[in-house]
Amino acid sequence: MNLILLGAPGAGKGTQAEIICEHLNIPAVSTGNIIREALKSGTEMGLRAKSFVDAGKLVPDEVVIGIIQERLAKDDCKNGFILDGFPRTIPQAEALDSMGVVIDKVIDIEVPDEKIVQRMSGRRVCESCGASYHLLYKKPEQEGVCGKCSGTLVQRKDDHPDTVLARLKVYHEETEPLKDYYQKQGKLFVVEGQEEVADTTKLTLAAVEA
Ligand code: AMP
């Protein structure tokens, strides 16, 4: 199954992607994680992306389209994948179409902006493997330490409040039109993000299995 997880930054896409990934045994592909990895290792793509990511802006379409093209061509995507954070613009969605990628479902996780700002301040990610945690909703067993790989948990620079507001603005202007794009194709499933991760997961899995 080829899935897209849509939603504002901080709506919980990453967490749900990790859960669906285990449930369906297909990889979760996060352009955000790929870009952060490139930033960390200082590749040419990372250097190109840095100023956009730090400012909460979108990295240019041709860069992310190139990333996704390369990633989806890998063997582990043959039986399906979950896209988390891609597409984020109409041209990116059109690029998927013209690559011949058929999307089965688009699950849109809806969370109001006020909640997003509140949530982002508690979000932490593993510096090494990219796993996501939350100080209130998804606490690591050991404070500051990743339960998966023992890496250090940090707050992303772009999770700071000013950048979060910039990212929300970009989301409403550039990414939200995708709801209509996929609604017209009959592929959109809306999930209301819940207070508890497990409750959102129930709704997400129901949408996957619908
Ligand atoms: P995320 O972890 O998905 O919130 O992504 C972090 C940052 O990476 C975003 O704020 C963008 O700067 C960049 N990014 C990730 N995915 C995309 C995309 N599909 N298009 C453009 N920029 C992206």
Side-chain angles (χ1 to χ4, degrees):
M1 191 183 298
N2 298 339
L3 293 173
I4 290 175
L5 285 184
L6 205 60
K13 298 187 299 295
T15 304
Q16 294 303 319
E18 285 170 26
I19 295 166
I20 305 172
C21 159
E22 283 184 21
H23 192 77
L24 295 181
N25 201 20
I26 51 175
V29 173
S30 152
T31 40
N33 281 352
I34 296 173
I35 292 169
R36 276 185 290 281
E37 205 46 54
L39 287 175
K40 220 165 54 174
S41 34
T43 63
E44 198 189 318
M45 187 269 280
L47 293 176
R48 259 189 96 182
K50 188 175 183 345
S51 61
F52 297 98
V53 176
D54 285 351
K57 293 187 177 151
L58 293 184
V59 172
D61 284 337
E62 73 271 14
V63 177
V64 270
I65 290 167
I67 292 174
I68 224 68
Q69 210 156 12
E70 209 175 288
R71 181 64 188 86
L72 296 186
K74 294 202 170 147
D75 263 2
D76 63 339
C77 290
K78 292 250 152 58
N79 295 324
F81 50 78
I82 306 146
L83 293 181
D84 158 23
F86 186 97
R88 259 177 155 105
T89 63
I90 298 280
Q92 290 179 19
E94 288 170 345
L96 271 184
D97 293 342
S98 50
M99 279 179 225
V101 173
V102 178
I103 297 299
D104 298 298
K105 279 182 188 173
V106 178
I107 298 175
D108 167 41
I109 306 178
E110 286 283 324
V111 176
D113 283 6
E114 315 81 74
K115 267 262 147 58
I116 296 270
V117 177
Q118 205 183 2
R119 279 185 184 192
M120 299 286 247
S121 59
R123 188 154 88 159
R124 297 293 179 271
V125 291
C126 174
E127 219 174 29
S128 308
C129 75
S132 49
Y133 294 86
H134 196 281
L135 299 183
L136 294 177
Y137 308 115
K138 194 186 168 197
K139 284 188 193 172
E141 272 188 21
Q142 196 183 338
E143 199 186 315
V145 179
C146 177
K148 291 193 172 161
C149 76
S150 304
T152 306
L153 302 185
V154 294
Q155 182 174 41
R156 280 164 46 175
K157 209 169 165 185
D158 58 345
D159 276 350
H160 288 267
D162 285 354
T163 321
V164 170
L165 292 177
R167 291 168 70 197
L168 277 172
K169 186 165 182 286
V170 170
Y171 168 74
H172 290 303
E173 287 172 2
E174 308 218 34
T175 308
E176 244 183 340
L178 288 173
K179 288 195 230 169
D180 199 39
Y181 185 87
Y182 288 114
Q183 173 80 57
K184 284 187 177 135
Q185 298 183 9
K187 293 178 179 169
L188 190 76
F189 290 74
V190 178
V191 162
E192 299 291 336
Q194 305 292 306
E195 208 56 49
E196 295 289 332
V197 172
D199 294 333
T200 306
T201 301
K202 274 187 206 144
L203 299 174
T204 310
L205 291 179
V208 168
E209 279 154 17

